[in-house]
């Protein structure tokens, strides 16, 4: 896979994870039903348990790839100026 595709796939996962977690938390905040709150807390815990490590790994890898790309562009810019 190309770096761009890897970056796109990782970013999509990160965005989806954050979106799902945010929606669950919003539902939790909006409900007064204790059984539903317990179920939502369980879903949030399961999400974090199953995917938080991968989420954190992808965040770090995205940052690294973006930094490498930026450094490459800077080097290219300075080499063109010479």
């Amino acid at each position: 896979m190309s770096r761009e595709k890897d970056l796109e796939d990782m970013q999509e996962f990160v965005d989806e994870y954050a979106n799902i977690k945010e929606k669950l938390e919003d539902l939790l905040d909006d409900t007064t039903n204790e059984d539903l709150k317990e179920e939502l807390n369980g879903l949030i815990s399961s999400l974090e348990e199953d995917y938080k490590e991968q989420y954190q790994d992808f965040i770090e890898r995205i940052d690294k790839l973006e930094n490498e790309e930026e450094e490459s562009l800077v080097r290219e810019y300075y080499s063109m100026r010479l």
Side-chain angles (χ1 to χ4, degrees):
M1 262 193 242
S2 70
R3 286 173 55 141
E4 292 84 19
K5 179 70 174 148
D6 286 345
L7 183 60
E8 182 180 309
D9 290 346
M10 287 186 288
Q11 188 63 55
E12 183 177 339
F13 175 87
V14 166
D15 292 344
E16 284 298 315
Y17 175 92
N19 187 37
I20 291 167
K21 186 173 180 194
E22 181 180 340
K23 285 183 180 184
L24 289 171
E25 289 171 341
D26 287 346
L27 285 170
L28 182 65
D29 290 343
D30 292 344
T31 190
T32 58
N33 182 311
E34 290 303 316
D35 291 334
L36 184 55
K37 281 187 177 212
E38 187 175 318
E39 185 69 28
L40 289 168
N41 273 324
L43 289 171
I44 292 168
S45 294
S46 292
L47 177 70
E48 289 177 337
E49 187 176 300
D50 293 343
Y51 297 107
K52 187 157 188 159
E53 188 173 309
Q54 185 176 5
Y55 172 81
Q56 292 294 344
D57 179 54
F58 281 0
I59 294 272
E60 291 171 10
R61 290 174 61 190
I62 288 168
D63 287 344
K64 182 179 178 187
L65 286 172
E66 287 176 345
N67 286 340
E68 287 174 359
E69 187 174 323
E70 186 176 316
E71 289 171 5
S72 175
L73 290 172
V74 168
R75 283 192 301 271
E76 184 179 327
Y77 171 77
Y78 284 115
S79 69
M80 289 173 44
R81 289 191 64 196
L82 295 176

